[in-house]
Amino acid sequence: MTVENTGRFGIAESTASASPEGLHPSAGGPIATLGGKPLLSNRGPLNLDWVKQVRVNTSAVERRAQSHVLRRTVKKDWQVAWLLRAITCMDLTTLSGDDTDERVRRLCAKARHPLRQDLVKRLGIEDLNIQVAAVCVYHHFVETARRALEGTSIRVAAVSTGFPAGLSPLSERVEEIRRSVQAGAQDIDVVITRAHVFGGRWQELYDEVAAFKQASGPAHMKVILGTGDLLTLRNVGRASMVAMMAGADFIKTSTGKEPTNATLPVGFVMTRAIREYAQETGMAVGFKPAGGIRTAKQSTEWLALMKEELGLSWMKAELFRFGASGLLNDIERQLEFHATGRYSADYRHPIA
Amino acid sequence: MSIAEKFVTMEFGPAPEESKEALSWLDRHSRRFGHFINGTWVQPSAGQFFDTNDPSTGEKLASVSQGSAADIDAAVKAARAAFSKWQSLSPHARARYLYALARQVQKHSRLLAVLETMDNGKPIRESRDIDIPLVARHFYYHAGWAQLLKQEFPEFTACGVVGQIIPWNFPLLMLAWKIAPALATGNTVVLKPAEFTPLSALAFAGICEEIGLPAGVVNIVTGDGSTGEALVKHADVDKIAFTGSTEVGRAIRTATAQSHKRLSLELGGKSPFIVFDDADLDGAVEGLVDGIWFNQGQVCCAGSRLLMQESIAEALIGKIRDRMSTLRAGPPLDKAIDIGAIVARVQLDRIQKLVNQGIAEGATCWQPQIEMPARGLYFPPTLLSNVHPTSIVAQQEIFGPVLAAMTFRTPAEAVELANNTVYGLASCVWSENINVALQVAAQIKAGVVWVNCTNLFDAACGFGGYRESGYGREGGREGLLEYLEPAWFGSAPTLPAAKPSPAEKSEEETDASVPAIDRTIKLYIGGKQARPDSGYSMQVRGRDGEPLGEVPLGNRKDIRNAVEAARKAANWGKSTAHNRAQVLYYMGENLSQRRDQIARGLAQAVGEKQAAAEVSAGIERIFSYAAWADKFDGAVHNPPFRNIAIAMNEPIGTVAVICPQEMPLLGFLSTVMPVLAMGNTAVAIPSETYPLITGDLYQLFDTSDLPGGAVNIVTGYQSQLLKVLAEHDDVDAIWSFADEASAAAAKAYSVGNLKQVFTNEGRAIDWFDPKQGEGRWFLQHATQVKNIWVPYGE
């Protein structure tokens, strides 16, 4: 079905497909629209003036975040639709020291069938073919995941570059990316050297991310800023800008291993940076909040944030992902409540 | 639309708040309300009712009583009867009642929020998350003041019966702002809610019943403007507190001028919202959402004048437009809308008319293509750019979701534009540079300055305006003072009426047959002795009727010159408090040196004993105010945010002082010194009893390093000069310490620019008694509190 252009950002998409198929067309075409303008995939030079102009007032951002969750809510069928959308934007993740091939295969099975079949029928959404966007694992399990997801359009994402600290030698980090891409990873989640941000060494940060980008080749690079480490929102804003200039396809909040991970204030700063970058350069960069998003309610808050700050293009897996492991289960329970009118229990849904 | 379709469009969809409870509350009252008088519900004496409607649907919600003068009289009588017992309750007992009100508001918070939204049209998010929590907070905070009253205000007493008239934009919140401090300080209340929005006040009356508040302490009389007028004019009301339009505020000032009613006014605004080039622009845009697009812009302190530094104007306008496009207008009970309904048709028409006028005057109008409800009273969020200070939309309060944008080049120009208004309620300053932000905050003429934030309110922080935005503060310690007066004041004896002054010239003008006297006194204007414009003098006679000398007969042109000189001397207010103290001490020193000479002259008019006493007490008084100059500190309030709110005592500006007649020297010093100490400039009209004191005073000033123009003295007939001063729009406050007629005239003639009025109500003040004649009471009236909110955090 075709969607009318209703908002500020315009909605260029004309497909109802939830399938991630055709994500990130490889050559040069528009991948999003903002204010009716088509936007390209990202690549740009370092502009230090722009980095230095970043202004973020922490209190103002926090007030925005506080009022955001009270200003917007979705109810009933709309809530169902939004939760389904959240599933399709999910990078279903396992990043534990005790991961095994079998554990990863179980996760991939859940990725293919995130919802119980009877629930899908009751909600009348068989045609939507709801699947998660990607499965996110360590390099060691890329191959396993690729095989387990064969025949689907679910992508394999690998965390890389010495995740989560990112402090191994640069050559090894770059090599890790190459190996993951060779092993079949379509998304590469890299971490930046946080010290470059603290030291204001923007050129070094740019060079680092640019090197990662080159190594990623056709794979899509998500740049993890480690916002829980960077701490100040101004640092987050500046690092976002440099990562985008250096070719990030996505900017991502955190590793999930920091003391605090994806928070709404950080989300506002990063999405505003993405918007400004798009308006100035005509290039679209995606956003991935990761870590700490565990409830269905949080997922709709994040989606509402994307709708408000960036528009419908950024409410799809092409430009928006959740990095999450426990979120799916809560969404399942909420959807079952919608379908049956009874509150659900987590054991009623197959584990990932 | 199926789930699959919704999955594609990702619209928000409706999220209605339940109205069942509120409707059944209305039904329980048979949708018909009497007045709440003396603890019971009474039918309107004239038997008249009017409808209150839901502005988002036009549906009638209930019938409400039209209050007549007889209803007001019954309510005032009930309040009067309840007063002495309520006032004499222990502070702790009153604290318990206020605490119970706070708890009860919280317990019924959702009912109150829904009722408020239905009656007013404001989004449920706002009534639920902002209005009602602030109501509860206000009662909690003032429960605390009730508890501490005796320790903290030992020399003060309640005003008595307070008439309170509140607007429709924040019905229950304005009720709380009025009732909580009044009750905490021991006053009893007759409150008239706005005609458009009486329901939450009536629900509050029910809460008063529920907690067993003594009958008559709170009385609620509903009605229209005529009901309010009856309350204002009622002879047995001791104070009127009003929030509403400047126009009505003026009418109330006029109507109460002939009475001793105290008055606090919280009126309109055209508040500037200043964005510097180093601001967080996205943050500033959200500030506008919380400012001009809060409560549909029907907010007296709405940041309605956007002042943008030129270099970021284009970028900011772009961001504002983007953000406006994501605002959602809809049914006020929808939990996910930003813009609700305008309260009444007449308001909607007024907004449209002003916007049309702005466009006709050259403004560019931009409105986002967002969905607006098909029925009900709605106005889309509107941006008017290319607005110039001359445009009506830059000057007049629109009271709608309409932002008027213009640019500035430098911080100095930003301040100039910000202050280019008759109002002075609130302002916002956005800059990431604390130097810029605080420098500008200090210069803006407004009672509230929000740095990098907007529309933050708290019971602990004073709220109220400069200039024609009214006088008095609500909230904080400063707000409490509006409901208290010095305990001795009410029983002070009334001064004899001054002898009427001749219409134009005096028959006592220089009489050629009287031999010339040795002293030639002139006016003192701008630090120089000046001959009067009239070219006439008036004779001064001693106690025994013998001529003592002549003083110039000042007229309106002399006043004009004096006010001009006072305005030019505004740097006095910017000098350090230490510096002002030094000058005052020096005056004391010099007065001490000349005491014999001055006492000798003064003795001819008031007798030797009083003259000597006046000089001695005068020296002491000067020392007192020299001491106070650097000690009348402001405060740092503690609102429940990560924020400091600095309450700064600022000078009011140019203060006209009608000096006491009975004590030519001490009276002058007692009234002019607090004005000077706080950094104001003064135009003083000395006592007619012995205006020759002027000569002594200006010699004193000239030898004490007082900058020219800080004090100006115009001799002549006080009553004539008072009128000119009270009517002068560049005079910021008028103090009258002469007879009752002078006090009434000061109030009546001050309505033009709503200057602040401080009078003795014609009562005799014992100037020799420091408890009566000096100190904080005077300093409070010589200053106005500016609350500067500075959130912090990185």
Side-chain angles (χ1 to χ4, degrees):
Chain A
M1 66 175 280
T2 304
V3 181
E4 285 303 306
N5 182 341
T6 52
R8 138 182 83 133
F9 300 110
I11 302 161
E13 300 77 4
S14 58
T15 168
S17 168
S19 156
E21 231 160 6
L23 289 189
H24 308 298
S26 50
I31 62 169
T33 65
L34 186 70
K37 284 188 195 150
L39 300 173
L40 302 173
S41 183
N42 180 38
R43 179 71 51 91
L46 177 63
N47 180 343
L48 281 174
D49 288 343
W50 199 358
V51 178
K52 284 169 188 161
Q53 271 169 26
V54 168
R55 314 251 185 246
V56 181
N57 186 284
T58 300
S59 298
V61 175
E62 287 172 353
R63 277 196 306 277
R64 169 68 168 133
Q66 278 160 12
S67 108
H68 170 73
V69 299
L70 298 166
R71 278 178 189 272
R72 294 291 180 262
T73 182
V74 279
K75 299 290 178 194
K76 306 216 152 100
D77 282 1
W78 285 271
Q79 191 177 37
V80 173
W82 281 51
L83 293 176
L84 294 173
R85 182 62 74 97
I87 295 174
T88 65
C89 292
M90 204 176 287
D91 282 4
L92 199 59
T93 302
T94 185
L95 294 170
S96 293
D98 59 359
D99 284 347
T100 61
D101 286 330
E102 200 46 39
R103 156 87 183 116
V104 168
R105 279 192 279 271
R106 199 168 76 195
L107 192 76
C108 292
K110 184 71 179 175
R112 286 167 175 257
H113 302 291
L115 294 178
R116 262 179 17 224
Q117 284 310 303
D118 62 306
L119 211 50
V120 170
K121 276 202 192 96
R122 279 186 100 137
L123 293 169
I125 52 161
E126 297 93 328
D127 294 346
L128 288 180
N129 185 26
I130 298 292
Q131 293 179 334
V132 303
V135 165
C136 182
V137 293
Y138 276 113
H139 167 78
H140 189 80
F141 303 104
V142 168
E143 176 73 25
T144 309
R146 192 179 60 75
R147 286 176 190 280
L149 294 172
E150 244 164 35
T152 75
S153 54
I154 300 170
R155 300 166 70 90
V156 175
V159 295
S160 192
T161 67
F163 181 95
L167 290 172
S168 45
L170 183 62
S171 57
E172 285 178 26
R173 284 181 276 153
V174 169
E175 186 51 32
E176 189 184 0
I177 295 172
R178 288 216 179 87
R179 274 199 241 140
S180 290
V181 172
Q182 272 169 17
Q186 294 139 302
D187 291 359
I188 298 289
D189 290 21
V190 302
V191 288
I192 63 165
T193 301
R194 276 72 116 190
H196 291 336
V197 178
F198 298 134
R201 293 189 293 275
W202 307 119
Q203 184 68 54
E204 286 170 54
L205 179 63
Y206 177 89
D207 291 344
E208 177 182 77
V209 175
F212 295 161
K213 173 71 176 178
Q214 202 182 8
S216 299
H220 285 85
M221 179 177 72
K222 309 194 196 98
V223 178
I224 303 171
L225 304 179
T227 54
D229 289 337
L230 298 185
L231 281 181
T232 75
L233 292 180
R234 274 189 300 159
N235 273 346
V236 170
R238 290 174 182 143
S240 297
M241 279 297 171
V242 176
M244 288 189 285
M245 290 168 188
D249 295 302
F250 271 70
I251 50 177
K252 174 176 167 183
T253 58
S254 28
T255 60
K257 311 283 187 193
E258 294 135 60
T260 53
N261 292 287
T263 63
L264 287 173
V266 159
F268 275 103
V269 172
M270 292 175 73
T271 50
R272 286 168 177 176
I274 289 169
R275 188 178 58 197
E276 190 168 317
Y277 188 80
Q279 285 168 339
E280 293 293 320
T281 66
M283 291 188 264
V285 176
F287 178 57
K288 178 176 173 183
I293 303 167
R294 296 190 185 86
T295 66
K297 173 101 173 76
Q298 280 176 301
S299 73
T300 56
E301 287 168 4
W302 280 101
L303 280 166
L305 183 158
M306 301 313 291
K307 184 174 167 74
E308 299 264 297
E309 292 293 316
L310 284 162
L312 198 58
S313 283
W314 272 267
M315 297 175 85
K316 296 186 170 179
E318 289 90 332
L319 288 171
F320 181 62
R321 303 283 180 84
F322 290 106
S325 42
L327 172 63
L328 181 55
N329 188 256
D330 195 52
I331 291 179
E332 288 175 271
R333 291 194 302 137
Q334 294 307 319
L335 290 175
E336 183 165 32
F337 169 68
H338 278 286
T340 66
R342 299 191 315 277
Y343 288 110
S344 181
D346 54 6
Y347 67 81
R348 298 170 62 85
H349 304 278
I351 56 174
Chain B
M1 195 162 64
S2 69
I3 288 175
E5 284 166 312
K6 292 184 177 78
F7 177 86
V8 174
T9 59
M10 291 295 282
E11 295 296 332
F12 282 107
E17 172 74 37
E18 191 66 70
S19 61
K20 226 164 42 195
E21 286 300 319
L23 292 172
S24 81
W25 179 85
L26 288 170
D27 290 338
R28 281 204 300 283
H29 288 84
S30 311
R31 302 212 175 215
R32 196 178 178 83
F33 292 86
H35 303 303
F36 182 71
I37 296 175
N38 206 23
T40 55
W41 294 94
V42 300
Q43 293 301 303
S45 63
Q48 286 182 335
F49 290 84
F50 62 95
D51 292 348
T52 185
N53 302 323
D54 180 339
S56 69
T57 61
E59 281 163 19
K60 175 183 164 179
L61 294 170
S63 291
V64 179
S65 297
Q66 168 60 33
S68 64
D71 297 327
I72 287 291
D73 188 51
V76 172
K77 283 202 171 95
R80 176 60 65 194
F83 173 61
S84 69
K85 201 170 169 198
W86 176 250
Q87 191 195 21
S88 57
L89 272 187
S90 74
H92 177 63
R94 278 207 304 275
R96 283 192 181 195
Y97 281 117
L98 280 151
Y99 179 72
L101 287 172
R103 301 293 288 179
Q104 208 66 4
V105 165
Q106 277 186 324
K107 284 187 238 169
H108 297 297
S109 60
R110 194 53 60 88
L111 169 68
L112 293 169
V114 173
L115 212 50
E116 195 82 307
T117 283
M118 287 166 64
D119 207 13
N120 168 279
K122 65 171 62 200
I124 184 70
R125 177 192 75 87
E126 295 179 9
S127 53
R128 180 197 65 197
D129 298 341
I130 299 168
D131 291 44
I132 307 303
L134 279 171
V135 169
R137 161 84 180 133
H138 226 76
F139 281 105
Y140 277 123
Y141 176 82
H142 284 93
W145 274 126
Q147 178 74 32
L148 301 175
L149 197 71
K150 275 203 176 138
Q151 291 107 294
E152 289 296 301
F153 298 92
E155 310 282 339
F156 285 82
T157 183
C159 296
V161 174
V162 183
Q164 305 182 318
I165 301 168
I166 56 170
W168 45 260
N169 57 345
F170 295 90
L172 194 63
L173 182 57
M174 291 301 104
L175 175 146
W177 281 22
K178 295 278 180 288
I179 288 185
L183 296 194
T185 45
N187 299 274
T188 54
V189 164
V190 177
L191 179 132
K192 188 198 88 70
E195 188 183 355
F196 295 143
T197 56
L199 292 179
S200 55
L202 294 166
F204 179 81
I207 283 177
C208 293
E209 277 185 304
E210 284 163 22
I211 67 143
L213 190 72
V217 171
V218 168
N219 304 275
I220 310 276
V221 180
T222 52
D224 59 13
S226 69
T227 315
E229 196 181 341
L231 181 56
V232 165
K233 291 189 170 158
H234 195 288
D236 202 28
V237 170
D238 299 302
K239 177 192 161 79
I240 294 290
F242 170 77
T243 297
S245 71
T246 295
E247 188 191 346
V248 176
R250 254 195 201 105
I252 292 176
R253 171 73 285 176
T254 306
T256 56
Q258 301 302 323
S259 74
H260 291 182
K261 288 187 181 86
R262 301 246 331 254
L263 186 57
S264 50
L265 301 172
E266 201 268 86
L267 308 174
K270 190 75 190 177
S271 297
F273 187 105
I274 309 173
V275 185
F276 284 97
D277 60 1
D278 61 356
D280 172 358
L281 296 186
D282 291 301
V285 169
E286 294 306 324
L288 288 168
V289 173
D290 290 334
I292 191 66
W293 294 304
F294 172 53
N295 201 18
Q296 296 75 249
Q298 305 168 124
V299 185
C300 49
C301 55
S304 53
R305 273 191 303 145
L306 173 63
L307 306 175
M308 309 171 284
Q309 195 150 13
E310 273 185 11
S311 56
I312 47 95
E314 201 186 324
L316 185 60
I317 290 286
K319 281 176 186 287
I320 293 168
R321 288 182 177 186
D322 283 353
R323 184 65 178 96
M324 288 169 79
S325 304
T326 64
L327 292 173
R328 303 187 72 230
L333 280 174
D334 191 311
K335 288 181 260 193
I337 59 122
D338 304 300
I339 308 268
I342 300 292
V343 71
R345 168 66 61 187
V346 55
Q347 289 301 121
L348 189 64
D349 292 345
R350 186 187 135 82
I351 297 167
Q352 187 63 63
K353 191 174 143 218
L354 281 166
V355 168
N356 290 347
Q357 245 172 302
I359 295 168
E361 287 174 355
T364 309
C365 177
W366 191 87
Q367 293 171 332
Q369 295 304 302
I370 60 173
E371 206 179 310
M372 297 299 295
R375 67 166 187 161
L377 306 172
Y378 289 88
F379 198 88
T382 300
L383 172 66
L384 297 174
S385 47
N386 296 324
V387 171
H388 301 289
T390 49
S391 171
I392 192 154
V393 291
Q395 293 169 1
Q396 282 202 15
E397 186 173 33
I398 298 175
F399 231 61
V402 182
L403 181 66
M406 51 199 129
T407 60
F408 66 86
R409 293 164 297 177
T410 62
E413 191 177 50
V415 169
E416 197 183 356
L417 283 166
N419 289 340
N420 187 219
T421 170
V422 298
Y423 296 111
L425 191 51
S427 56
C428 290
V429 182
W430 289 79
S431 166
E432 287 300 286
N433 183 331
I434 194 167
N435 298 304
V436 172
L438 292 185
Q439 158 85 357
V440 170
Q443 291 180 74
I444 293 177
K445 301 277 181 214
V448 183
V449 184
W450 286 296
V451 174
N452 292 326
C453 58
T454 314
N455 279 349
L456 294 183
F457 307 101
D458 184 55
C461 303
F463 182 88
Y466 284 27
R467 295 182 173 168
E468 290 180 34
S469 292
Y471 30 84
R473 294 288 178 271
E474 299 187 288
R477 180 185 266 275
E478 55 263 44
L480 227 52
L481 290 166
E482 299 296 327
Y483 290 93
L484 291 167
E485 62 181 30
W488 58 268
F489 186 65
S491 51
T494 301
L495 286 164
K499 60 180 183 327
S501 57
E504 266 307 313
K505 301 177 294 175
S506 163
E507 80 264 9
E508 282 200 278
E509 282 149 33
T510 315
D511 178 348
S513 68
V514 178
I517 312 282
D518 60 330
R519 295 185 69 189
T520 307
I521 303 300
K522 292 186 187 162
L523 306 177
Y524 186 60
I525 293 176
K528 293 191 178 73
Q529 299 179 33
R531 284 181 214 289
D533 170 79
S534 69
Y536 289 107
S537 296
M538 75 184 208
Q539 195 159 61
V540 182
R541 290 177 188 273
R543 287 216 295 186
D544 50 8
E546 278 304 295
L548 300 179
E550 292 153 349
V551 293
L553 191 63
N555 69 7
R556 67 167 45 239
K557 287 188 181 161
D558 299 314
I559 292 291
R560 177 200 64 191
N561 296 343
V563 172
E564 219 162 88
R567 180 61 65 196
K568 277 195 192 135
N571 268 341
W572 171 248
K574 291 177 191 140
S575 64
T576 66
H578 172 70
N579 179 245
R580 292 198 299 271
Q582 295 297 298
V583 171
L584 262 62
Y585 278 125
Y586 199 11
M587 274 182 212
E589 192 184 311
N590 285 326
L591 177 56
S592 181
Q593 292 240 327
R594 285 155 213 236
R595 63 186 309 153
D596 295 342
Q597 181 205 332
I598 293 174
R600 236 187 344 266
L602 184 57
Q604 296 172 298
V606 300
E608 275 180 27
K609 198 174 152 208
Q610 182 181 328
E614 277 199 51
V615 176
S616 294
I619 294 167
E620 215 175 302
R621 189 119 312 153
I622 294 175
F623 260 61
S624 279
Y625 285 113
W628 270 119
D630 56 2
K631 290 172 195 68
F632 192 62
D633 292 330
V636 177
H637 292 309
N638 287 308
F641 308 98
R642 193 184 62 217
N643 192 313
I644 48 172
I646 309 159
M648 280 191 359
N649 291 329
E650 290 196 336
I652 295 172
T654 298
V655 180
V657 183
I658 311 302
C659 298
Q661 290 278 19
E662 66 278 16
M663 290 193 194
L665 178 66
L666 183 59
F668 183 99
L669 295 174
S670 299
T671 49
V672 172
M673 286 302 127
V675 168
L676 268 191
M678 294 297 101
N680 301 280
T681 56
V683 176
I685 314 300
S687 162
E688 284 176 41
T689 310
Y690 185 65
L692 291 166
I693 198 73
T694 304
D696 300 312
L697 288 166
Y698 59 62
Q699 282 181 3
L700 191 66
F701 298 148
D702 281 342
T703 51
S704 306
D705 296 340
L706 183 72
V711 177
N712 306 274
I713 309 176
V714 180
T715 54
Y717 295 110
Q718 282 193 333
S719 58
Q720 289 171 5
L721 299 176
L722 181 153
K723 180 167 187 283
V724 180
L725 280 165
E727 287 177 340
H728 198 305
D729 281 344
D730 208 20
V731 170
D732 301 300
I734 183 159
W735 290 18
S736 173
F737 287 88
D739 65 350
E740 196 169 355
S742 302
K747 294 177 203 168
Y749 295 127
S750 68
V751 295
N753 69 344
L754 282 170
K755 56 176 66 64
Q756 304 193 25
V757 183
F758 177 36
T759 80
N760 59 350
E761 303 291 0
R763 292 181 186 134
I765 292 173
D766 181 357
W767 297 108
F768 286 117
D769 179 2
K771 218 178 197 177
Q772 294 193 9
E774 73 176 45
R776 287 187 178 271
W777 192 46
F778 291 89
L779 297 169
Q780 275 147 12
H781 287 92
T783 51
Q784 48 193 347
V785 183
K786 176 190 274 179
N787 272 272
I788 304 176
W789 293 64
V790 189
Y792 56 88
E794 167 76 32

